[in-house]
């Protein structure tokens, strides 16, 4: 039976990369996200690999809409084999500057939606011996200044996935935690420009398609997690092993992080 994957945030960035990597392997796709046009574009590109791909525009921060869309996915495509919880929102900046609505939406998208979708999908995943992917962030290992809301929600997802794995293993459901590096997405480009990073340095950012391919490869290899080697991992390990100097560095770079984390999110356009 052909596999069916639900991918949140599937219209751009890492979500697009994951969707196309799955399509190349013959997996049918339900692509969820806020904007219909990018979802349609990824669906069309995925269909060129001979799979069925359907776009489902949805606001995942609304529980009723999330549940209704999940039911629609099952009606149109059938029971799920894979659930890719990828959608996320930075919502950076000083906590005092965040409105209650911004806080609630960030928590709903980054934390609540993946929990609800995982709960909804579990009966299918248990029946099909499927898998869950949680796309996290290196900020769950080393929280950054002016990213308290994002770091908090991503640390929550890391704890959720680590604990849930013990429940899912006896049920035959695999869980992969992915911690992507700085990736060349619209959001990251805005952050880089805010701190004066030259355009020539963008070439050093990881390509979303390559990141998506590696996440899918780790999923198929049944790995428990995937982390990229490099400066971010080194910094996170230093933060764990010798926290005092790393905390000093973060304090000294506080204003730089303030500019970076409050940069406009181009992906919202």
């Amino acid at each position: 039976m052909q596999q069916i994957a639900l991918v949140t945030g599937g219209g751009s960035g890492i979500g697009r990369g994951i969707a196309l990597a799955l399509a190349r392997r013959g997996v049918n796709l339900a692509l969820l996200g806020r904007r219909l046009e990018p979802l349609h574009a990824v669906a069309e590109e995925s269909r060129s690999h001979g799979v069925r791909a359907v776009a489902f525009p949805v606001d995942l921060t609304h529980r009723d809409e999330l549940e209704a869309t999940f039911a629609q996915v099952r009606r149109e495509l059938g029971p799920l084999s894979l659930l890719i919880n990828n959608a996320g929102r930075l919502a950076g900046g000083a906590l005092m500057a965040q409105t209650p609505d911004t806080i609630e939406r960030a928590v709903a998208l980054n934390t609540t939606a993946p929990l609800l979708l995982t709960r909804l999908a579990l009966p299918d995943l248990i029946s099909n011996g499927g898998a869950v992917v949680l796309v996290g962030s290196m900020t769950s290992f080393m929280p950054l200044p002016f990213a308290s809301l994002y770091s908090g929600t991503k640390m929550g997802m890391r704890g959720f996935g680590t604990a849930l794995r013990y429940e899912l293993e006896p049920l035959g459901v695999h869980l992969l935690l992915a911690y992507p590096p700085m990736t060349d997405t619209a959001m990251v480009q805005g952050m880089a420009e805010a701190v004066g990073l030259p355009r020539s340095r963008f070439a050093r950012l990881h390509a979303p398609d390559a990141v998506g391919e590696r996440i899918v490869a780790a999923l198929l290899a049944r790995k428990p997690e995937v982390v990229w080697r490099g400066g971010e991992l080194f910094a996170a390990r230093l933060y764990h092993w010798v926290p005092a100097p790393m905390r000093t560095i973060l304090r000294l770079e506080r204003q730089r992080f303030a500019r970076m984390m409050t940069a406009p999110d181009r992906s919202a356009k």
Side-chain angles (χ1 to χ4, degrees):
M1 185 175 65
Q2 196 166 26
Q3 290 187 311
I4 299 166
L6 185 157
V7 183
T8 67
S12 62
I14 294 173
R16 175 183 176 275
I18 292 172
L20 294 177
L22 290 170
R24 288 192 291 271
R25 291 166 171 84
V27 178
N28 291 331
L29 298 168
L31 303 171
L32 276 62
R34 291 176 296 118
R35 298 173 295 152
L36 183 58
E37 186 175 342
L39 292 174
H40 272 319
V42 177
E44 184 175 356
E45 190 172 357
S46 299
R47 287 192 286 268
S48 70
H49 296 286
V51 302
R52 187 177 181 195
V54 183
F56 296 89
V58 59
D59 186 342
L60 294 170
T61 66
H62 295 161
R63 177 181 164 188
D64 292 345
E65 195 173 335
L66 178 153
E67 292 176 345
T69 302
F70 182 84
Q72 184 183 359
V73 168
R74 292 190 80 257
R75 285 195 302 271
E76 295 194 22
L77 293 173
L80 296 182
S81 309
L82 302 170
L83 173 63
I84 316 296
N85 288 301
N86 164 74
R89 184 182 184 192
L90 177 62
L95 185 62
M96 287 183 62
Q98 306 282 9
T99 66
D101 180 66
T102 298
I103 293 171
E104 289 176 358
R105 287 183 64 82
V107 172
L109 181 61
N110 295 356
T111 305
T112 307
L115 266 67
L116 290 175
L117 280 172
T118 302
R119 179 181 177 276
L120 287 169
L122 275 181
D124 287 352
L125 301 180
I126 292 169
S127 297
N128 294 326
V132 179
V133 177
L134 301 175
V135 178
S137 167
M138 290 303 292
T139 65
S140 64
F141 295 98
M142 187 177 73
L144 299 177
F146 296 94
S148 58
L149 183 53
Y150 186 70
S151 294
T153 55
K154 289 300 184 178
M155 289 179 80
M157 288 309 298
R158 180 180 165 214
F160 166 66
T162 303
L164 184 64
R165 182 177 286 122
Y166 294 103
E167 298 179 36
L168 300 187
E169 284 176 347
L171 302 174
V173 177
H174 179 66
L175 188 144
L176 170 69
L177 280 162
Y179 303 101
M182 290 290 282
T183 304
D184 190 6
T185 62
M187 181 182 74
V188 172
Q189 286 184 13
M191 294 166 63
E193 289 181 354
V195 293
L197 188 68
R199 273 213 164 267
S200 59
R201 295 283 295 278
F202 288 174
R204 301 185 186 181
L205 297 175
H206 292 259
D209 284 1
V211 172
E213 173 64 32
R214 183 166 174 185
I215 289 173
V216 171
L219 171 64
L220 297 179
R222 309 290 280 188
K223 292 184 178 180
E225 67 176 31
V226 55
V227 182
W228 276 250
R229 296 183 181 277
E232 292 168 74
L233 179 60
F234 180 69
R237 286 178 173 171
L238 280 181
Y239 185 85
H240 177 72
W241 292 329
V242 283
M246 289 302 297
R247 288 170 183 161
T248 299
I249 292 171
L250 292 176
R251 289 189 181 98
L252 292 173
E253 294 291 325
R254 216 173 341 217
Q255 293 309 311
R256 190 165 180 261
F257 278 109
R259 295 196 304 274
M260 182 169 67
M261 295 302 173
T262 55
D265 184 358
R266 292 177 175 181
S267 64
K269 296 180 181 179

